[in-house]
Amino acid sequence: MSSIPKGYKKTELGVIPEDWRVHELGDIVTIGSAKRVLRTDWKDQGIPFYRAREIAVLSDNGKVDNELFISYELYCAYDTLSPAPRPGDIMLSAVGTVGRVYCVKSHDRFYYKDASVLCIRKSDIINSEYLKFQFNFYVVKKQIEEGSEGSTVSTITIARANKYKIILPPLLEQKAIAEALSDMDALIEAQKELIAKKRDIKQGAMQDLLSGRVRLPGYETKGWKHTDIGDIPTDWEVSQIGKIADIISGGTPKTTEKSFWNGTILWCTPTDITRTSGRYIERTEKTITDDGLKNSSAILLPINSLLLCSRATVGDVRIAKHEITTNQGFKSLVCNSSAYYLFIYYLIPFLKPKMLEKSYGSTFLEISKSNLASIQIQLPSYIEQKTIAETLSDMDDEIETLEAELEKLNHMKRGMMQELLTGRIRLI
């Protein structure tokens, strides 16, 4: 059994400094609810009102779009029951995705909250920003997860929220902790904004370079020609997917035959594609054996094959980092000598509307091999394809580096919360 450090004490929420306290939330703040705004009360203009879902968006530093409104007269009737949020109040989503919090800012617009949101009124003995971070800390999160009521939809009642236990340092230390964590939040938000800006720049570059509107150094547009898919530079050609790549379907080994599964051969499903954020797919949830490959219609695809979803999420695509097989939800492309695989990878998102147009199905959409093969594409020379693709790939590399830095910042914040909100590190 580990000893408790000098100057610390053991509590029901763990070891904390001796001058810190554990309080039930209802002992230090006032929590209020409001009247539910019925759909029949929604208006096109008037006083905006926020539900749990809007609070969830705000908690992620987002902006509320498509705001909902109630009439001023109805607001006045409701407001006598529960005043609108004030700066410093904490809004707590209490229905559905429970436990998301937002601290009302002084510059926030005036709004009303409905019954799916609880209002934790600002108190003189607790810093609002500190309380917000406590709600995002695992100690309070665990209490929310274990104590939410409702058989179908999770719900937090005022009575339940009043019982949440909070670790409370002296007020000045609360403020210092909140400022340190807010500074980290600002760094994280700035990193997110930079990533979003870089993505916008890349999207614009894709539209310009893949259409020929902008040419890279060493390539010059001497004229334009009109084609079935629009105007393209005179030195570009129009081709079809079926002419620039072999289109290969997948297969599934017999699922009840254990000897076909858990081998060394990657076996990709559309779910593997959607959960992979980068360009390349390196691992899959399931693998098959050599026997599974031999006894099914699955085909071993070479490195740099384009794994193109042909069912449900039609048009989603990743690049094979290793030799790989797929199930029947794919029409994978193995490019020939006329097409550079990475250029086609960047071109596919612009072909997705045409793929959907050529898809069919009542339960889920699917595109056939022949319909996919018939889709027309614009192609520069192979060397220009490669130059364009490498330019866009460099942009992706930069974005991935920024995303890795963002993950490090998030990891640092989690560590800071663990140290600061338990008093392991003291700022005062």
Side-chain angles (χ1 to χ4, degrees):
M1 182 177 179
S2 59
S3 60
I4 298 175
K6 184 177 180 181
Y8 288 76
K9 63 184 178 183
K10 185 172 179 59
T11 72
E12 61 266 50
L13 297 185
V15 177
I16 63 174
E18 286 183 341
D19 57 332
W20 289 24
R21 300 288 181 266
V22 172
H23 288 279
E24 287 189 351
L25 189 60
D27 292 338
I28 55 177
V29 297
T30 301
I31 303 176
S33 185
K35 189 175 177 63
R36 182 185 176 196
V37 181
L38 301 175
R39 186 177 289 271
T40 53
D41 295 331
W42 295 7
K43 303 296 180 183
D44 293 331
Q45 57 184 353
I47 303 295
F49 70 92
Y50 292 168
R51 302 161 296 172
R53 67 183 65 182
E54 281 76 41
I55 297 304
V57 170
L58 290 170
S59 73
D60 292 331
N61 295 313
K63 293 183 178 179
V64 176
D65 297 320
N66 303 319
E67 283 191 318
L68 303 173
F69 301 90
I70 57 174
S71 68
Y72 179 74
E73 292 75 18
L74 194 58
Y75 162 75
C76 289
Y78 285 178
D79 190 52
T80 59
L81 299 174
S82 176
R86 305 167 184 167
D89 288 350
I90 297 288
M91 299 294 100
L92 173 65
S93 61
V95 177
T97 306
V98 298
R100 307 296 289 276
V101 289
Y102 176 70
C103 185
V104 181
K105 309 293 191 299
S106 59
H107 58 268
D108 282 345
R109 65 179 302 176
F110 185 83
Y111 65 91
Y112 175 78
K113 54 174 176 50
D114 86 346
S116 64
V117 179
L118 297 182
C119 177
I120 302 173
R121 186 63 78 202
K122 180 181 178 183
S123 167
D124 292 335
I125 66 170
I126 188 166
N127 179 276
S128 296
E129 288 290 333
Y130 172 83
L131 181 57
K132 179 191 75 173
F133 287 116
Q134 275 284 349
F135 267 96
N136 288 324
F137 190 42
Y138 79 92
V139 171
V140 179
K141 276 188 172 183
K142 185 178 180 181
Q143 296 177 64
I144 292 173
E145 291 169 1
E146 294 177 348
S148 297
E149 303 175 5
S151 56
T152 54
V153 179
S154 296
T155 302
I156 299 175
T157 63
I158 292 179
R160 176 66 65 180
N162 278 329
K163 294 295 184 180
Y164 293 151
K165 289 182 169 59
I166 301 292
I167 299 173
L168 202 64
L171 189 59
L172 285 178
E173 196 163 3
Q174 292 177 40
K175 184 178 179 182
I177 291 170
E179 288 176 349
L181 292 174
S182 294
D183 288 345
M184 178 57 75
D185 272 346
L187 286 175
I188 290 171
E189 191 59 29
Q191 188 76 357
K192 288 180 179 178
E193 291 175 358
L194 179 58
I195 290 171
K197 180 179 179 181
K198 293 293 184 180
R199 284 176 176 161
D200 288 342
I201 292 172
K202 179 201 147 189
Q203 184 65 23
M206 288 175 66
Q207 292 173 338
D208 289 337
L209 295 174
L210 296 173
S211 65
R213 289 199 300 262
V214 172
R215 306 289 289 274
L216 293 170
Y219 303 94
E220 181 182 354
T221 299
K222 297 180 180 179
W224 294 84
K225 59 185 177 184
H226 184 69
T227 71
D228 291 341
I229 57 174
D231 294 339
I232 61 174
T234 53
D235 57 326
W236 286 28
E237 297 178 356
V238 173
S239 187
Q240 294 177 322
I241 290 180
K243 292 181 179 179
I244 60 95
D246 291 330
I247 302 175
I248 300 174
S249 300
T252 302
K254 190 175 181 180
T255 55
T256 56
E257 180 54 62
K258 292 183 179 180
S259 65
F260 291 170
W261 295 93
N262 300 317
T264 60
I265 300 171
L266 299 177
W267 185 75
C268 187
T269 68
T271 302
D272 292 312
I273 297 296
T274 54
R275 65 163 53 122
T276 301
S277 58
R279 290 158 289 175
Y280 292 88
I281 186 163
E282 299 189 52
R283 58 186 62 87
T284 56
E285 183 180 356
K286 296 182 180 179
T287 57
I288 61 175
T289 62
D290 287 333
D291 284 344
L293 179 61
K294 292 174 184 176
N295 290 280
S296 71
S297 57
I299 295 176
L300 191 62
L301 300 168
I303 295 172
N304 294 333
S305 296
L306 301 179
L307 310 184
L308 179 64
C309 293
S310 58
R311 289 182 183 174
T313 55
V314 176
D316 283 3
V317 62
R318 298 292 183 272
I319 304 168
K321 190 73 170 179
H322 311 286
E323 289 186 328
I324 197 169
T325 61
T326 73
N327 74 357
Q328 299 92 321
F330 292 83
K331 296 292 185 290
S332 298
L333 307 181
V334 179
C335 295
N336 58 36
S337 59
S338 67
Y340 185 54
Y341 74 94
L342 202 51
F343 178 86
I344 303 303
Y345 167 81
Y346 285 116
L347 188 61
I348 284 174
F350 296 96
L351 304 176
K352 190 169 183 176
K354 182 61 68 175
M355 292 182 193
L356 293 173
E357 181 183 313
K358 289 178 172 286
S359 298
Y360 56 88
S362 55
T363 306
F364 52 79
L365 290 177
E366 181 172 8
I367 188 168
S368 67
K369 182 175 181 178
S370 59
N371 282 348
L372 179 62
S374 68
I375 293 177
Q376 293 183 307
I377 60 174
Q378 65 272 18
L379 279 183
S381 66
Y382 185 88
I383 187 65
E384 188 175 1
Q385 290 178 46
K386 191 171 183 181
T387 304
I388 291 171
E390 289 174 349
T391 299
L392 296 174
S393 184
D394 288 343
M395 291 182 173
D396 267 335
D397 288 341
E398 182 182 12
I399 291 171
E400 288 177 4
T401 298
L402 293 173
E403 288 174 336
E405 292 171 356
L406 175 61
E407 180 53 37
K408 288 181 181 178
L409 288 174
N410 282 316
H411 180 74
M412 288 174 61
K413 180 190 170 184
R414 290 191 292 270
M416 286 177 63
M417 290 179 69
Q418 177 68 37
E419 300 295 314
L420 295 176
L421 294 175
T422 60
R424 291 179 187 173
I425 292 180
R426 306 291 297 271
L427 298 180
I428 294 179

